[in-house]
């Protein structure tokens, strides 16, 4: 069993109709939208890329968000991932929002630290969620507390919550994929195998071991020059935990790209396929430029999603990105990196492509 979820790659090739429409110059709506229901977070992880957002105690208005979700589903948005600059489960209406997302015809997923994923919450949402990925970047309570900057008790609480979620899924015959991820750092590298054993024992589908990615606006700078060559043997050691039902996905491809000299594309082409909505309701073209007004399309409280997407601000940004934005200056290993490489190949084909 390989990386069946293509976590270390991309999935845009499974949407050829949308890509074909984009290639022909048609206006398309995003396939994927990342939404931050909460600006607050109950952890202060040492690797947090969005620490510059300030963990503000703001929450998306449930009624407006659900109205926009219904609209987005009709416009063709296919998936929403709840995560962003805060902990999504801090939103008091998150269960209702997730259920509504599915009702709107949109696949829902969640990235969370898992502390608030109680059994009762799992019972409410697992039937409406495609996947949940829990950030748990250590294999022991002591290291977990240091890396997540929280109390050690949260570690066992998360393990209990994951175990309960697995049980709920099994009891109800649900298909929600349950996974975890570790940001690989010098502080936790020697606990990756310990964590893999715990995640397999808990009954999860996978554990992702992923590299740190430096956000250009992040206050955190201590890992910006991290060298992952020191962990070349870790992938092989972790492979011994793989079974028919559990997989350690070691993002080797992404780690190697950190030191690459050239991205493989000159311009960002991926922005028409995704969007980001922050906890204040602002709609952004790229999460790497949060706070840069040039990348803000509008907000969901003032306009419908259609009005925002077809609005003048977004048109101007697309022109600027197409003509001036230097992709080499963007965040290394951004979420759209693999998609950009794919789209660049489609629009800048090499010789002999007809010889299939």
């Amino acid at each position: 069993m390989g990386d069946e979820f293509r976590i270390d790659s991309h999935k845009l090739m499974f949407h050829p109709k949308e890509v074909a429409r984009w290639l022909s110059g048609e206006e398309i709506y995003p396939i994927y939208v990342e939404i931050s229901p909460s600006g607050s977070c109950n952890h202060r992880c040492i690797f947090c890329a969005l620490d510059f957002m300030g963990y503000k105690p703001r929450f998306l208005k449930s009624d407006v968000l659900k109205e926009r979700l219904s609209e987005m589903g009709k416009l063709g948005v296919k998936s929403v991932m709840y995560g962003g600059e805060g902990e999504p489960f801090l939103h008091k209406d998150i269960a209702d929002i997730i259920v509504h997302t599915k009702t709107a015809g949109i696949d829902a997923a969640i990235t969370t630290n898992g502390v608030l994923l109680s059994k009762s919450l799992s019972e409410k949402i697992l039937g409406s969620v495609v996947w949940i990925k829990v950030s748990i970047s250590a294999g022991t309570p002591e290291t977990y507390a240091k890396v997540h900057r929280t109390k050690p008790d949260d570690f066992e609480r998360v393990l209990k919550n994951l175990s309960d979620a697995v049980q709920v899924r099994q009891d109800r015959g649900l298909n929600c994929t349950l996974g975890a991820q570790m940001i690989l750092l010098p502080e936790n590298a020697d606990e990756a195998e310990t964590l893999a054993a715990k995640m397999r024992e808990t009954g999860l589908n996978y554990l992702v071991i992923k590299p740190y990615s430096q956000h250009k606006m992040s206050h955190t700078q201590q890992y910006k020059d991290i060298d992952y060559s020191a962990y070349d043997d870790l992938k092989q050691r972790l492979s011994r935990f793989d079974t028919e039902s559990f997989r350690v996905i070691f993002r080797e491809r992404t780690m190697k790209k950190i030191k690459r000299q050239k991205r493989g594309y000159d311009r960002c082409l991926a922005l028409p396929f995704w969007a980001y909505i922050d906890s204040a309701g602002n709609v952004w073209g790229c999460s790497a430029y949060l706070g840069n007004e040039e990348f803000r399309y509008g907000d969901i409280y003032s306009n419908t999603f259609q009005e925002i997407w077809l609005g003048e601000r977004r048109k101007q940004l697309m022109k600027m990105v197409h003509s001036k934005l230097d992709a080499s200056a963007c965040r290394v290993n951004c979420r759209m990196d693999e998609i950009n490489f794919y789209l660049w190949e489609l629009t800048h084909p090499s010789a002999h492509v007809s010889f299939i």
Side-chain angles (χ1 to χ4, degrees):
M1 179 175 65
D3 179 10
E4 61 178 302
F5 304 112
R6 300 185 67 85
I7 291 173
D8 204 29
S9 181
H10 76 93
K11 296 178 274 286
L12 188 58
M13 78 281 288
F14 297 109
H15 302 277
K17 293 181 180 178
E18 287 78 6
V19 173
R21 289 174 55 207
W22 172 78
L23 286 169
S24 67
E26 291 184 43
E27 191 68 79
I28 61 169
Y29 286 96
I31 294 171
Y32 164 77
V33 178
E34 185 171 328
I35 298 178
S36 181
S38 165
S40 296
C41 192
N42 48 352
H43 285 180
R44 293 292 185 272
C45 300
I46 60 176
F47 55 79
C48 181
L50 298 183
D51 53 7
F52 67 94
M53 296 291 285
Y55 310 108
K56 297 172 184 175
R58 60 188 188 186
F59 304 88
L60 285 174
K61 296 177 182 179
S62 304
D63 56 342
V64 177
L65 177 57
K66 288 194 287 185
E67 185 177 334
R68 296 291 175 265
L69 287 167
S70 295
E71 178 198 4
M72 287 157 62
K74 293 175 182 176
L75 291 173
V77 172
K78 298 182 185 298
S79 66
V80 164
M81 192 275 279
Y82 292 105
E85 74 260 28
E87 166 52 50
F89 288 147
L90 282 170
H91 195 294
K92 64 182 179 62
D93 297 325
I94 191 63
D96 188 34
I97 290 169
I98 290 168
V99 172
H100 183 86
T101 305
K102 182 179 180 180
T103 302
I106 301 173
D107 288 342
I110 307 159
T111 298
T112 170
N113 59 41
V115 174
L116 300 176
L117 182 59
S118 63
K119 185 174 183 180
S120 61
L121 182 56
S122 287
E123 291 172 339
K124 293 175 183 176
I125 68 173
L126 287 195
S128 300
V129 177
V130 175
W131 56 261
I132 297 176
K133 188 185 298 177
V134 173
S135 177
I136 178 168
S137 291
T140 64
E142 295 75 24
T143 303
Y144 178 87
K146 293 176 182 177
V147 173
H148 285 252
R149 287 197 286 205
T150 186
K151 55 186 182 297
D153 290 349
D154 275 359
F155 182 77
E156 296 300 335
R157 185 176 180 183
V158 171
L159 293 187
K160 174 66 163 56
N161 289 344
L162 287 172
S163 180
D164 286 343
V166 169
Q167 191 63 52
V168 169
R169 179 180 64 179
Q170 179 179 324
D171 291 346
R172 299 193 175 186
L174 302 174
N175 293 320
C176 175
T177 299
L178 298 172
Q181 68 178 15
M182 167 191 269
I183 306 293
L184 188 62
L185 303 170
E187 290 87 345
N188 61 21
D190 61 352
E191 294 186 5
E193 292 170 90
T194 301
L195 181 61
K198 290 181 182 294
M199 296 300 94
R200 184 177 67 178
E201 181 182 356
T202 302
L204 299 192
N205 296 100
Y206 63 79
L207 168 67
V208 176
I209 307 294
K210 63 183 290 187
Y212 173 80
S213 176
Q214 181 66 50
H215 195 292
K216 292 186 176 294
M217 297 174 67
S218 177
H219 299 319
T220 302
Q221 296 287 318
Q222 66 192 89
Y223 304 112
K224 63 184 178 65
D225 297 319
I226 191 168
D227 183 4
Y228 281 103
S229 63
Y231 309 110
D232 287 344
D233 65 329
L234 186 56
K235 177 182 179 181
Q236 184 61 37
R237 299 206 312 269
L238 287 167
S239 66
R240 66 189 176 91
F241 295 97
D242 292 349
T243 66
E244 287 297 316
S245 58
F246 177 80
R247 170 79 173 176
V248 178
I249 300 170
F250 190 83
R251 297 193 63 176
E252 181 180 29
R253 177 183 174 89
T254 307
M255 291 180 192
K256 289 181 176 179
K257 287 192 296 183
I258 292 176
K259 299 295 184 181
R260 66 184 172 180
Q261 299 300 310
K262 186 173 173 59
R263 288 177 183 261
Y265 52 90
D266 297 335
R267 291 283 186 267
C268 178
L269 303 177
L271 298 193
F273 295 93
W274 90 296
Y276 180 95
I277 302 177
D278 70 18
S279 57
N282 296 301
V283 183
W284 300 89
C286 178
S287 60
Y289 291 92
L290 295 176
N292 183 333
E293 277 294 308
E294 194 170 16
F295 284 81
R296 191 178 74 88
Y297 299 153
D299 72 87
I300 62 172
Y301 301 133
S302 302
N303 298 95
T304 66
F305 191 83
Q306 184 175 39
E307 289 170 341
I308 294 168
W309 198 255
L310 300 181
E312 189 61 31
R313 291 181 65 96
R314 181 173 169 273
K315 289 179 182 177
Q316 291 303 314
L317 177 62
M318 292 299 105
K319 291 179 181 178
M320 187 279 288
V321 170
H322 177 74
S323 62
K324 293 192 297 184
L325 185 68
D326 181 6
S328 66
C330 289
R331 183 182 184 183
V332 174
N333 279 332
C334 84
R335 191 180 297 277
M336 294 292 115
D337 184 68
E338 288 288 334
I339 288 175
N340 269 315
F341 185 73
Y342 172 66
L343 294 175
W344 191 263
E345 281 195 300
L346 287 180
T347 54
H348 298 77
S350 58
H352 310 159
V353 295
S354 296
F355 293 87
I356 60 172

